[in-house]
DNA sequence: ACGGGGACATACTCAAGAGTATGTTCGGGC
DNA sequence: GCCCGAACATACTCTTGAGTATGTCCCCGT
């Protein structure tokens, strides 16, 4: 049983490798431009391995997307636990968000690709799954919307339209995944510092003044 | 001669139609997923027409990109002419930027696609052209960088890192092209009002204060 | 009125890529 | 020691799509 469990873990790791390679490829070439052979080549393997773990290209992509969203949702939940004013919680959530953009960049990039895919997804990709993915996205965005509304109520944030504020703030934060490129010799402390700077600057205009 | 000139104008318009259709397709499906047949179908024509005006798919895309950048560059130049403090000019440039994101959304979306293409552009697409396009982009970003630096000097903007500020602000502004969807019955006045709101909110955190 | 070229349409070629069908290997349970 | 299934690799099929080659229409100058 222990051996079986160990084997399962190893198996999961192998699947994880495929997922990570796929995220890398999707980030570099986009969804359509990425071939299953590309993913396999990034693994030093062949298509057989990829198709062994994932039924199809859309399913592979959806898993990458789900993983990316899970990272964000878990991060936000952890950041909200500490309590404090809406502004304080918003600041923590934003910092973790930026940190995720930097440290799991390849996965996070797939979020934009997924949104594009949904916007006018042609046939082939299952509408239902995309709908589900967009729901996850929306509920995550609601975290920000709610925090802005709360800040409006508790006075820690200035008067504003929560939806518009959410969009501009998330825009600035998400953009990090686009321009950020990890520097050689960079430590986690560097990234945390950068994330703090960015969050502070971005939220500066929304604080109660 | 007048007839010839008139004919040229008509000819240019026909080319322009292809360009606009291509921008629409690139926005909806992305670069790779867009086929030349898609563009033709959007025109109610065939590939023959597309290839008559543009040598290849990359060249077609590059033209869309160049057009998008030209709109931004011209807008920024016009917005800067009025003079005033760095903060005032920055506010005007930002407003026009957002307005362009909304009103020429299909073209503006290609900018992100182009950047992605450059990041790890595989063979086929000419590296030299992409390099040129990125130079245009960089010089446009320099407008913002310079305005932040000026604002730092003239005291109209708070102390900040111009490069980081440029990235966060442009992130928030560019994101508009991603979520914005024109509403039926929407007028230009609505968009100008929205652009003003967005620019004001985004820049709020950077003003001297 | 006619010859030529611009502005397309039609009909191909050829390669790439998604998905499949069928080996092959190798470790663990009996 | 044998067998079986997980975890791949190999070798196909079949469609899609970029690019090309060629035909057609029509307007414009001479």
């Amino acid at each position: 049983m222990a051996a079986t469990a160990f084997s399962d873990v190893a198996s999961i790791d192998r699947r994880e490798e495929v997922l990570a390679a796929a995220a890398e490829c999707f980030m570099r070439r986009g969804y359509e431009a990425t071939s299953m052979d590309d993913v396999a080549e990034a693994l030093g393997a062949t298509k057989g391995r990829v198709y062994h773990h994932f039924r199809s290209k859309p399913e592979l992509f959806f898993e990458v997307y789900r993983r990316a969203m899970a990272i964000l949702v878990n991060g936000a939940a952890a950041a909200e636990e500490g309590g404090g004013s809406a502004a304080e919680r918003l600041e923590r959530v934003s910092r973790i968000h930026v940190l995720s953009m930097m440290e799991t960049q390849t996965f996070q990039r797939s979020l934009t690709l997924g949104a594009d895919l949904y916007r006018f997804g042609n046939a082939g990709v299952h509408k239902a799954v995309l709908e589900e993915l967009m729901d996850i996205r929306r509920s995550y965005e609601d975290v920000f919307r709610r925090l802005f509304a709360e800040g409006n109520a508790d006075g820690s944030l200035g008067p504003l339209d929560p939806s518009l504020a959410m969009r501009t703030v998330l825009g600035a934060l998400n953009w990090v995944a686009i321009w950020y490129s990890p520097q050689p010799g960079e430590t986690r402390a560097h990234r945390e510092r950068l994330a703090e700077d960015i969050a502070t600057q971005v939220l500066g205009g929304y604080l109660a003044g």
Side-chain angles (χ1 to χ4, degrees), chain A:
Chain A
M1 203 52 164
T4 305
F6 186 78
S7 152
D8 278 1
V9 167
S11 164
I12 289 174
D13 282 352
R14 302 291 289 174
R15 186 186 151 97
E16 215 67 13
E17 283 178 27
V18 178
L19 212 57
E24 176 83 25
C25 290
F26 285 140
M27 164 171 164
R28 289 160 85 108
R29 314 197 225 288
Y31 175 72
E32 303 279 347
T34 296
S35 74
M36 296 301 257
D37 289 301
D38 286 339
V39 177
E41 193 188 343
L43 287 163
T46 69
K47 270 202 294 202
R49 181 168 172 195
V50 180
Y51 275 101
H52 179 72
H53 291 285
F54 301 93
R55 273 191 238 270
S56 67
K57 187 178 165 185
E59 181 173 317
L60 175 57
F61 175 77
F62 294 153
E63 279 304 304
V64 172
Y65 187 102
R66 261 188 270 263
R67 178 63 50 94
M69 279 307 314
I71 292 169
L72 294 183
V73 168
N74 293 337
E80 275 213 90
E81 271 178 9
S85 72
E88 285 164 356
R89 278 173 291 152
L90 178 62
E91 207 269 347
R92 289 202 304 272
V93 172
S94 298
R95 255 164 49 193
I96 292 213
H97 185 95
V98 172
L99 210 53
S100 300
M101 291 297 140
M102 296 191 287
E103 300 194 333
T104 61
Q105 188 183 28
T106 57
F107 283 87
Q108 300 305 330
R109 277 293 209 105
S110 71
L111 296 182
T112 314
L113 298 177
D116 287 355
L117 213 56
Y118 173 73
R119 250 289 188 62
F120 202 87
N122 44 5
V125 279
H126 260 318
K127 192 85 179 171
V129 181
L130 278 171
E131 211 67 71
E132 171 215 334
L133 297 184
M134 290 306 116
D135 278 349
I136 304 177
R137 182 192 190 81
R138 263 188 287 271
S139 81
Y140 180 70
E141 288 175 349
D142 280 341
V143 172
F144 283 78
R145 241 189 295 257
R146 185 175 42 72
L147 281 171
F148 279 115
E150 276 187 47
N152 232 329
D154 75 9
S156 63
L157 297 174
L160 40 78
D161 172 14
S163 282
L164 192 60
M166 177 274 284
R167 284 189 159 125
T168 52
V169 165
L170 272 182
L173 302 185
N174 287 336
W175 206 250
V176 173
I178 291 184
W179 58 261
Y180 172 77
S181 183
Q183 300 302 318
E186 190 187 79
T187 71
R188 175 157 239 269
H190 283 100
R191 288 190 291 272
E192 280 174 348
R193 177 61 198 280
L194 184 55
E196 187 184 336
D197 287 353
I198 292 173
T200 303
Q201 269 204 358
V202 168
L203 295 176
Y206 302 87
L207 298 177

